[in-house]
mmCIF file of all heavy atoms in Angstrom:
data_model
loop_
_atom_site.group_PDB
_atom_site.id
_atom_site.type_symbol
_atom_site.label_atom_id
_atom_site.label_comp_id
_atom_site.label_asym_id
_atom_site.label_seq_id
_atom_site.Cartn_x
_atom_site.Cartn_y
_atom_site.Cartn_z
ATOM 1 N N SER Y 290 25.226 24.585 -20.356
ATOM 2 C CA SER Y 290 24.141 25.529 -20.574
ATOM 3 C C SER Y 290 24.559 26.724 -21.406
ATOM 4 O O SER Y 290 23.712 27.421 -21.997
ATOM 5 C CB SER Y 290 23.542 26.004 -19.237
ATOM 6 O OG SER Y 290 24.493 26.761 -18.502
ATOM 7 N N ILE Y 291 25.881 26.990 -21.520
ATOM 8 C CA ILE Y 291 26.318 28.120 -22.343
ATOM 9 C C ILE Y 291 26.087 27.851 -23.833
ATOM 10 O O ILE Y 291 26.196 28.775 -24.641
ATOM 11 C CB ILE Y 291 27.803 28.485 -22.085
ATOM 12 C CG1 ILE Y 291 28.734 27.382 -22.554
ATOM 13 C CG2 ILE Y 291 28.020 28.822 -20.622
ATOM 14 C CD1 ILE Y 291 30.217 27.771 -22.519
ATOM 15 N N MET Y 292 25.734 26.618 -24.177
ATOM 16 C CA MET Y 292 25.334 26.342 -25.553
ATOM 17 C C MET Y 292 24.177 27.249 -25.959
ATOM 18 O O MET Y 292 24.022 27.620 -27.122
ATOM 19 C CB MET Y 292 24.877 24.878 -25.681
ATOM 20 C CG MET Y 292 26.000 23.866 -25.610
ATOM 21 S SD MET Y 292 26.810 23.718 -27.210
ATOM 22 C CE MET Y 292 28.082 22.507 -26.819
ATOM 23 N N ARG Y 293 23.349 27.607 -24.995
ATOM 24 C CA ARG Y 293 22.144 28.392 -25.264
ATOM 25 C C ARG Y 293 22.428 29.869 -25.514
ATOM 26 O O ARG Y 293 21.523 30.638 -25.785
ATOM 27 C CB ARG Y 293 21.160 28.236 -24.090
ATOM 28 C CG ARG Y 293 20.578 26.835 -24.006
ATOM 29 C CD ARG Y 293 20.106 26.465 -22.603
ATOM 30 N NE ARG Y 293 19.245 27.469 -22.009
ATOM 31 C CZ ARG Y 293 18.979 27.541 -20.699
ATOM 32 N NH1 ARG Y 293 19.525 26.667 -19.859
ATOM 33 N NH2 ARG Y 293 18.202 28.489 -20.233
ATOM 34 N N LEU Y 294 23.695 30.266 -25.432
ATOM 35 C CA LEU Y 294 24.059 31.668 -25.632
ATOM 36 C C LEU Y 294 24.143 32.040 -27.107
ATOM 37 O O LEU Y 294 24.296 33.234 -27.447
ATOM 38 C CB LEU Y 294 25.389 31.983 -24.950
ATOM 39 C CG LEU Y 294 25.387 31.958 -23.422
ATOM 40 C CD1 LEU Y 294 26.788 32.126 -22.891
ATOM 41 C CD2 LEU Y 294 24.469 33.066 -22.873
ATOM 42 N N GLY Y 295 24.099 31.075 -27.996
ATOM 43 C CA GLY Y 295 24.229 31.361 -29.419
ATOM 44 C C GLY Y 295 23.378 30.431 -30.267
ATOM 45 O O GLY Y 295 22.677 29.544 -29.755
ATOM 46 N N LYS Y 296 23.461 30.616 -31.571
ATOM 47 C CA LYS Y 296 22.676 29.826 -32.506
ATOM 48 C C LYS Y 296 23.036 28.347 -32.405
ATOM 49 O O LYS Y 296 24.201 27.972 -32.292
ATOM 50 C CB LYS Y 296 22.936 30.313 -33.937
ATOM 51 C CG LYS Y 296 22.207 29.535 -35.003
ATOM 52 C CD LYS Y 296 22.611 30.022 -36.399
ATOM 53 C CE LYS Y 296 21.945 29.176 -37.474
ATOM 54 N NZ LYS Y 296 22.392 29.575 -38.839
ATOM 55 N N GLY Y 297 22.034 27.493 -32.465
ATOM 56 C CA GLY Y 297 22.286 26.066 -32.437
ATOM 57 C C GLY Y 297 21.022 25.268 -32.190
ATOM 58 O O GLY Y 297 19.921 25.824 -32.061
ATOM 59 N N THR Y 298 21.193 23.955 -32.112
ATOM 60 C CA THR Y 298 20.061 23.051 -31.864
ATOM 61 C C THR Y 298 20.518 21.915 -30.958
ATOM 62 O O THR Y 298 21.602 21.384 -31.139
ATOM 63 C CB THR Y 298 19.522 22.446 -33.169
ATOM 64 O OG1 THR Y 298 19.208 23.498 -34.094
ATOM 65 C CG2 THR Y 298 18.265 21.630 -32.900
ATOM 66 N N CYS Y 299 19.693 21.586 -29.977
ATOM 67 C CA CYS Y 299 19.888 20.383 -29.209
ATOM 68 C C CYS Y 299 18.788 19.407 -29.602
ATOM 69 O O CYS Y 299 17.596 19.718 -29.443
ATOM 70 C CB CYS Y 299 19.820 20.641 -27.710
ATOM 71 S SG CYS Y 299 20.042 19.162 -26.712
ATOM 72 N N TYR Y 300 19.198 18.241 -30.096
ATOM 73 C CA TYR Y 300 18.241 17.180 -30.460
ATOM 74 C C TYR Y 300 18.150 16.211 -29.281
ATOM 75 O O TYR Y 300 19.160 15.574 -28.926
ATOM 76 C CB TYR Y 300 18.679 16.480 -31.729
ATOM 77 C CG TYR Y 300 18.493 17.339 -32.973
ATOM 78 C CD1 TYR Y 300 19.522 18.130 -33.458
ATOM 79 C CD2 TYR Y 300 17.266 17.372 -33.628
ATOM 80 C CE1 TYR Y 300 19.340 18.926 -34.596
ATOM 81 C CE2 TYR Y 300 17.067 18.166 -34.753
ATOM 82 C CZ TYR Y 300 18.115 18.929 -35.218
ATOM 83 O OH TYR Y 300 17.930 19.728 -36.330
ATOM 84 N N VAL Y 301 16.991 16.115 -28.702
ATOM 85 C CA VAL Y 301 16.726 15.250 -27.559
ATOM 86 C C VAL Y 301 15.926 14.035 -28.035
ATOM 87 O O VAL Y 301 14.959 14.185 -28.755
ATOM 88 C CB VAL Y 301 15.919 16.020 -26.482
ATOM 89 C CG1 VAL Y 301 15.624 15.110 -25.297
ATOM 90 C CG2 VAL Y 301 16.687 17.279 -26.036
ATOM 91 N N SER Y 302 16.362 12.849 -27.627
ATOM 92 C CA SER Y 302 15.624 11.653 -28.044
ATOM 93 C C SER Y 302 14.300 11.544 -27.284
ATOM 94 O O SER Y 302 14.148 12.064 -26.170
ATOM 95 C CB SER Y 302 16.458 10.395 -27.796
ATOM 96 O OG SER Y 302 16.555 10.120 -26.411
ATOM 97 N N GLU Y 303 13.346 10.851 -27.879
ATOM 98 C CA GLU Y 303 12.078 10.609 -27.198
ATOM 99 C C GLU Y 303 12.292 9.857 -25.891
ATOM 100 O O GLU Y 303 11.565 10.051 -24.916
ATOM 101 C CB GLU Y 303 11.132 9.808 -28.111
ATOM 102 C CG GLU Y 303 10.577 10.589 -29.304
ATOM 103 C CD GLU Y 303 9.468 11.563 -28.921
ATOM 104 O OE1 GLU Y 303 9.146 11.661 -27.718
ATOM 105 O OE2 GLU Y 303 8.930 12.210 -29.828
ATOM 106 N N ALA Y 304 13.317 8.995 -25.862
ATOM 107 C CA ALA Y 304 13.607 8.239 -24.636
ATOM 108 C C ALA Y 304 14.081 9.160 -23.520
ATOM 109 O O ALA Y 304 13.712 8.980 -22.368
ATOM 110 C CB ALA Y 304 14.652 7.165 -24.925
ATOM 111 N N ILE Y 305 14.897 10.163 -23.852
ATOM 112 C CA ILE Y 305 15.346 11.120 -22.845
ATOM 113 C C ILE Y 305 14.198 12.028 -22.433
ATOM 114 O O ILE Y 305 14.103 12.486 -21.287
ATOM 115 C CB ILE Y 305 16.542 11.945 -23.382
ATOM 116 C CG1 ILE Y 305 17.794 11.065 -23.494
ATOM 117 C CG2 ILE Y 305 16.847 13.137 -22.479
ATOM 118 C CD1 ILE Y 305 18.347 10.571 -22.175
#
Side-chain angles (χ1 to χ4, degrees):
S290 65
I291 67 171
M292 288 278 179
R293 291 156 50 197
L294 292 173
K296 178 185 176 184
T298 306
C299 180
Y300 288 93
V301 178
S302 72
E303 289 284 2
I305 290 293

